[in-house]
Amino acid sequence: MALRCPIVSVLGHVDHGKTSLLDKIRRTRVTQREAGGITQHIGASEIPINTIKKVSKDLLGLFKADLSIPGILVIDTPGHEAFTSLRKRGGALADIAILVVDINEGFKPQTIEAINILKQCKTPFIVAANKVDRIPGWNSSEGPFILNFNEKNQHPNAMTEFEIRLYENIIKHLNELGFDADLFSRVKDTTKTINVVPVSAMTGEGVPDLLVIISGLAQKFLEQKLALNVEGYAKGTVLELKEEKGLGKTIDAIIYDGIAKTGDFLVVGNPDGVIVSKIKALLKPKELDEMRDPKDKFKPSKQISAATGVKISAPDLDSVIAGSPLRIVPKNQVDAAKEEVLQEVEEFTILTDDEGIIIKADTMGSLEALANELRKVNAKIKKAEVGDISKKDVIEASSYASSNPLNGLIISFNTKVLADAKAEIEKSDVKLLEGKIIYKLVEEYEEWTKEMEELMK
Ligand code: GDP
Ligand code: MG
């Protein structure tokens, strides 16, 4: 049975090293001149299994099973906002996740938030215990962690310090959240215990271990799920909308299942339902050496298959929003695909209350995550929408406030405030909370609500 690439996402607290680790993974090379390096997709990078096997040849003994996945597809945008935006029916788009935790700093609010989201989506994950190079006295070098983790390479004090930080800052917290966890080389049953892989995004230490553990786990957990669907049409999720010179609005998407061909039809959700558009081109990034003119960054593909990232050029994409479900189908399957997409869009619709505040976000996934977190602190939500803050939103909030001042609030996650909305806010008594970190917005919501309640006494 052919397996597709598992899709991998990277999450974790700000500054714990997600971007650095992704960069390091993307730069994984066997040797300078050897072919078969990383394939750049739209919005994702594919690391072929041969590359993983070569960089980690000393570690493969850790796995009895042969790795039969073709590689892993790592989504380039880190953070749990990206993770929650990238959804598919019944859960997360990513099959598996890497949770990055600074081993010196330990668990932080966003670490816990990320774990809650992973739990909710039932996504298996491993922990990258990053910045091991900053453990006092640690002698960090590029290559496998387990070859570096011994009394020959490390001072005993550094070894002790490592063990303390590993336990106090990471394992203990995972245990408190109900997870069994251990250093990956000590894990006996990977289906019961979370693997903690020490890494340094700076030196590259532990990156081979990380790649081999994630591949092995993905294969073990996901053998069923990853069976390549060679018959069916392509299913995917919109990563973002991008204006491209000469092409107009294009969709960057991750395809998690099936096959797509040029000339097929794109069926994609938008806030009002579903749109259908004839595909002009399925585009992939050009390799650097194919790029004669830097403006000419893409090359068309006749056919693509999961899992992959792709840029879709088609007319009438203006109303499409990030996080939307999509299908790429031959003409005779457009109606069936429309049904599917509509059902998925409906699943994203957030139940609203009779009265309450307004929340807006940049994608369906982030809107849902924001709503979930707000509901945990008993917020009432009257309106939840994807999109920028408009004058209309402010006027609505102001009218909600007239019956209850606690409803005069708009919470914006990663959206713009349009100019006329700003002007309207100044004139009105509506409060606006803006931000890019969900838990901070929730905290600010609680503070504001408390202040208002005091004033109303
Ligand atoms: P993100 O916010 O999680 O994406 O974190 P970044 O990748 O932007 O990293 C935050 C800071 O930590 C940057 O200054 C990085 O250079 C630094 N950093 C990341 N990984 C490591 C590491 O393994 N070792 C050390 N010493 N610094 C690191
Ligand atoms: Mg970053």
Side-chain angles (χ1 to χ4, degrees):
M1 184 172 57
L3 299 176
R4 72 158 167 82
C5 279
I7 300 171
V8 182
S9 247
V10 176
L11 294 86
H13 193 75
V14 63
D15 284 346
H16 280 196
K18 300 177 294 293
T19 305
S20 312
L21 186 61
L22 268 170
D23 282 348
K24 202 75 193 174
I25 291 173
R26 274 197 293 263
R27 276 185 267 125
T28 303
R29 287 274 185 280
V30 184
T31 60
Q32 221 73 54
R33 255 180 297 152
E34 198 156 359
I38 314 302
T39 320
Q40 213 52 51
H41 292 245
I42 300 287
S45 311
E46 184 183 341
I47 304 154
I49 202 66
N50 280 338
T51 304
I52 295 174
K53 282 181 176 166
K54 277 179 193 151
V55 296
S56 58
K57 58 182 182 302
D58 307 307
L59 308 170
L60 286 169
L62 283 176
F63 292 95
K64 309 280 177 309
D66 254 356
L67 291 173
S68 56
I69 51 173
I72 60 174
L73 189 74
V74 186
I75 295 176
D76 285 343
T77 344
H80 49 271
E81 292 76 22
F83 179 85
T84 50
S85 304
L86 292 171
R87 302 288 295 275
K88 64 181 177 200
R89 189 133 208 218
L93 176 68
D95 301 298
I96 194 159
I98 300 172
L99 178 65
V100 180
V101 186
D102 181 337
I103 192 169
N104 310 293
E105 246 192 19
F107 269 44
K108 288 279 166 185
Q110 280 175 296
T111 316
I112 296 167
E113 199 168 295
I115 290 181
N116 286 336
I117 293 167
L118 292 168
K119 255 189 188 167
Q120 232 161 47
C121 294
K122 300 192 174 68
T123 306
F125 66 97
I126 68 170
V127 172
N130 192 31
K131 308 198 189 185
V132 282
D133 61 282
R134 293 184 57 183
I135 290 171
W138 193 260
N139 177 17
S140 187
S141 60
E142 185 160 20
F145 169 82
I146 51 170
L147 301 185
N148 197 32
F149 175 55
N150 53 53
E151 304 279 339
K152 218 171 64 202
N153 290 359
Q154 306 298 341
H155 191 277
N157 291 350
M159 294 283 276
T160 309
E161 196 56 45
F162 167 82
E163 295 289 356
I164 292 171
R165 289 177 193 216
L166 176 71
Y167 181 75
E168 291 293 328
N169 294 344
I170 295 179
I171 293 178
K172 193 176 83 185
H173 297 280
L174 284 163
N175 292 162
E176 279 165 10
L177 293 172
F179 293 100
D180 199 17
D182 212 339
L183 183 65
F184 70 100
S185 52
R186 297 171 184 154
V187 170
K188 295 210 173 60
D189 184 349
T190 52
T191 56
K192 293 208 181 85
T193 308
I194 304 256
N195 282 269
V196 181
V197 186
V199 296
S200 166
M202 182 115 112
T203 65
E205 178 172 1
V207 172
D209 316 60
L210 189 75
L211 291 175
V212 85
I213 294 288
I214 201 95
S215 308
L217 253 194
Q219 179 154 331
K220 234 184 214 163
F221 268 107
L222 310 167
E223 235 146 24
Q224 217 85 51
K225 236 172 103 183
L226 299 181
L228 183 65
N229 181 356
V230 280
E231 311 276 279
Y233 51 68
K235 300 178 180 181
T237 301
V238 176
L239 207 57
E240 59 180 319
L241 251 81
K242 269 196 190 152
E243 189 78 34
E244 297 290 350
K245 257 206 182 115
L247 297 172
K249 273 266 159 66
T250 62
I251 287 179
D252 287 0
I254 301 283
I255 305 297
Y256 58 83
D257 192 28
I259 279 178
K261 299 185 177 81
T262 22
D264 278 354
F265 285 77
L266 172 72
V267 179
V268 58
N270 78 354
D272 303 317
V274 58
I275 61 167
V276 178
S277 185
K278 178 131 204 275
I279 289 174
K280 283 196 283 196
L282 298 167
L283 299 161
K284 298 233 136 186
K286 273 187 177 166
E287 308 284 328
L288 272 179
D289 53 3
E290 297 173 302
M291 227 187 280
R292 289 197 186 81
D293 178 358
K295 280 188 302 237
D296 177 26
K297 290 179 290 196
F298 309 106
K299 59 178 176 201
S301 288
K302 282 211 180 90
Q303 180 176 312
I304 55 160
S305 60
T308 183
V310 66
K311 182 180 281 297
I312 303 167
S313 167
D316 308 323
L317 301 180
D318 288 294
S319 67
V320 176
I321 54 177
S324 303
L326 70 81
R327 301 287 183 272
I328 301 174
V329 297
K331 195 167 185 188
N332 63 355
Q333 290 180 22
V334 165
D335 286 338
K338 272 165 86 174
E339 274 304 303
E340 259 181 44
V341 166
L342 271 176
Q343 273 182 11
E344 266 189 56
V345 170
E346 253 161 47
E347 273 178 24
F348 275 113
T349 309
I350 291 158
L351 292 175
T352 48
D353 303 299
D354 293 337
E355 62 156 335
I357 60 170
I358 294 179
I359 65 170
K360 308 228 25 177
D362 58 339
T363 70
M364 295 204 221
S366 55
L367 188 67
E368 193 180 55
L370 177 63
N372 283 342
E373 292 302 312
L374 283 167
R375 287 257 157 77
K376 284 188 195 156
V377 298
N378 300 318
K380 291 258 188 296
I381 300 164
K382 168 77 178 171
K383 183 169 125 179
E385 259 181 19
V386 171
D388 297 331
I389 313 286
S390 65
K391 184 176 172 184
K392 183 166 161 266
D393 295 323
V394 183
I395 293 170
E396 274 179 46
S398 178
S399 80
Y400 304 159
S402 61
S403 54
N404 179 355
L406 290 173
N407 294 335
L409 177 67
I410 301 175
I411 300 183
S412 149
F413 177 81
N414 215 11
T415 62
K416 280 205 268 309
V417 181
L418 301 175
D420 56 351
K422 267 187 201 146
E424 192 64 33
I425 289 172
E426 271 166 27
K427 279 194 286 175
S428 73
D429 46 7
V430 170
K431 171 78 178 172
L432 171 71
L433 296 175
E434 291 178 89
K436 290 185 175 180
I437 298 173
I438 290 175
Y439 79 86
K440 281 205 178 132
L441 283 170
V442 174
E443 272 173 21
E444 286 173 25
Y445 162 80
E446 289 184 284
E447 276 162 25
W448 182 81
T449 309
K450 220 196 249 155
E451 273 170 33
M452 287 301 282
E453 280 167 350
E454 286 297 316
L455 283 177
M456 285 159 65
K457 264 181 195 164

